[in-house]
Amino acid sequence: MVLLLATATGLIVANLYYAQPLVGPISRATGLSAGAAGLIVTLTQLGYVAGMVFIVPLGDLLENRRLIVTTLGATALALLGAAFAGNAAQFLLAAFCVGLGSVAAQVVVPFAAHLSPEHLRGESVGKVMSGLMLGIMLARPVSSLVTDLLDWHAVFVLSAIATAALALLLRRRLPERKPRSSLAYPALLASLWHLLKTTPILRRRAAYQACMFGAFSLFWTTVPLALASPRFGLSQSGIAVFALLGVAGAVASPIAGRRADQGESRSTTGVAMLAALLAFGAPLLPDGGRGVDLGLLVFAAIMLDAGVSASLVTGQRAIFALGAEARSRLNGLYMALFFSGGAIGSSLGGWMYAAHGWRGALAAGLLFPATALAIYATEFTGKGARARAR
């Protein structure tokens, strides 16, 4: 079941990232300007945030299997809309709806926590989140390769077919899970603010991951543009190979989950943030030639993906330990807040790359892990030391 949940989560969340390395081709086809190209990723992430707030909390109210299958059906339709969009407005609307429906992944993830005993919960969630991170990372090379072989429209058609097939599989294989909550939907939504206000671990972990995911989104929105530029001159296939190398960072997820089960969440979090800081600092070193600079970018991709994976799993382990009755709402809030950081990162990255080039985008990216480390430092002083994330 954990393998099924991990695979499903990866396939679902991949829908958010197929467009990321295709920002250039999609912008040219739909008439988006270079400065607005980041909206292709940003609108998808904003849809995901909206789904986290308005759809994922239903996991504490409605039968989960039916909610997942219905949401995946809507996602498949949105992917077809993206494939056949005739202009920028139509594509951006479809991208928003793809993000909205892809929150099915965050109804799937709590299944692992519900099915796992306390002493293995972090490791199980880590394995499922490895699937999620692999989905994010593999989406980029898959979409690049399919675009090289066919075109970018085919990416979304094939994804729509895969999503519909996954919905049918999950309908057959997932157990039913009926929450015990008697709250009405408006009361369920109203409880989100109360949970956010009264759960300091949630606020802290969400702040960490918003910064980390902002860095992640900025890097992966802009690095395909840099790799395709005359400086590196990579084709879509070359960009796909580059993205595949970054997948190595996904191994950090189960390791981080295991360390969290052993009570090492704080140190794991600090190492993850330092890895992200190093990822942006290394490519800013003085020009060492095309080969050296490309090697530094590969190093940066692996370090960044590993840092974001470790931070994500450590945060979710802490969130899922807070109680089963509000697990979907807590997870929805956590993911909504950190994907908001991702939307900011992708939008800022597109603008910075257009206005100040690749090094300007890297400098902006440094701000995200630096901010996370500044917040992390408060764990050791004053109120932060008394309410530190576990």
Side-chain angles (χ1 to χ4, degrees):
M1 184 57 67
V2 170
L3 177 62
L4 173 62
L5 296 177
T7 304
T9 303
L11 288 172
I12 297 167
V13 83
N15 292 326
L16 300 171
Y17 294 94
Y18 289 128
Q20 204 167 52
L22 309 179
V23 166
I26 293 173
S27 296
R28 290 190 293 272
T30 58
L32 272 175
S33 67
L39 288 175
I40 291 171
V41 179
T42 300
L43 263 293
T44 309
Q45 291 176 333
L46 288 177
Y48 202 64
V49 170
M52 289 294 177
V53 175
F54 295 105
I55 296 176
V56 171
L58 288 170
D60 289 333
L61 186 63
L62 304 179
E63 198 280 306
N64 284 189
R65 184 177 64 185
R66 181 180 298 177
L67 177 61
I68 291 165
V69 171
T70 302
T71 310
L72 286 179
T75 305
L77 293 175
L79 287 162
L80 288 176
F84 298 108
N87 55 51
Q90 290 175 6
F91 184 89
L92 293 176
L93 176 60
F96 181 87
C97 292
V98 167
L100 194 67
S102 295
V103 296
Q106 297 309 322
V107 184
V108 171
V109 169
F111 261 101
H114 287 297
L115 294 172
S116 302
E118 172 66 24
H119 68 285
L120 293 176
R121 184 168 293 148
E123 187 172 355
S124 296
V125 170
K127 290 176 180 177
V128 174
M129 295 311 292
S130 289
L132 182 144
M133 292 305 297
L134 282 171
I136 292 174
M137 296 171 194
L138 289 173
R140 298 186 294 261
V142 166
S143 64
S144 293
L145 290 172
V146 171
T147 299
D148 249 7
L149 291 171
L150 302 169
D151 63 18
W152 67 265
H153 302 274
V155 173
F156 294 96
V157 173
L158 293 173
S159 180
I161 294 170
T163 301
L166 178 64
L168 294 175
L169 175 63
L170 293 180
R171 187 174 183 275
R172 294 189 60 178
R173 296 294 303 277
L174 281 184
E176 282 193 350
R177 178 178 176 268
K178 297 180 180 179
R180 298 177 181 176
S181 175
S182 59
L183 288 174
Y185 183 61
L188 192 75
L189 293 182
S191 71
L192 294 176
W193 172 248
H194 175 74
L195 286 171
L196 182 63
K197 185 172 65 172
T198 59
T199 315
I201 293 174
L202 171 64
R203 295 196 302 271
R204 178 174 288 278
R205 286 291 172 183
Y208 291 164
Q209 200 59 24
C211 293
M212 295 291 282
F213 206 65
F216 179 92
S217 293
L218 184 148
F219 182 87
W220 286 107
T221 297
T222 55
V223 77
L225 300 174
L227 292 172
S229 70
R231 169 62 177 156
F232 296 106
L234 297 189
S235 65
Q236 286 296 141
S237 294
I239 295 171
V241 172
F242 176 89
L244 276 173
L245 295 173
V247 170
V251 300
S253 291
I255 296 171
R258 198 174 304 118
R259 284 180 56 81
D261 285 337
Q262 296 167 352
E264 299 294 336
S265 291
R266 268 214 304 168
S267 59
T268 304
T269 300
V271 170
M273 292 173 182
L274 290 172
L277 195 69
L278 183 60
F280 280 94
L284 284 171
L285 293 172
D287 191 346
R290 181 179 182 275
V292 172
D293 288 352
L294 192 56
L296 286 174
L297 283 183
V298 171
F299 171 78
I302 294 172
M303 292 296 289
L304 180 61
D305 287 1
V308 172
S309 298
S311 176
L312 173 60
V313 171
T314 305
Q316 278 195 303
R317 172 64 174 81
I319 300 307
F320 287 159
L322 297 175
E325 67 283 350
R327 192 166 282 155
S328 288
R329 280 170 286 168
L330 289 167
N331 187 52
L333 282 168
Y334 176 64
M335 301 297 283
L337 290 168
F338 96 65
F339 263 86
S340 297
I344 293 170
S346 59
S347 182
L348 177 63
W351 181 82
M352 285 295 292
Y353 186 88
H356 303 288
W358 173 233
R359 293 183 74 83
L362 286 172
L366 271 174
L367 296 175
F368 287 94
T371 301
L373 279 166
I375 300 171
Y376 175 70
T378 66
E379 286 202 31
F380 303 91
T381 60
K383 292 181 180 179
R386 294 190 295 272
R388 62 176 57 111
R390 292 189 289 269

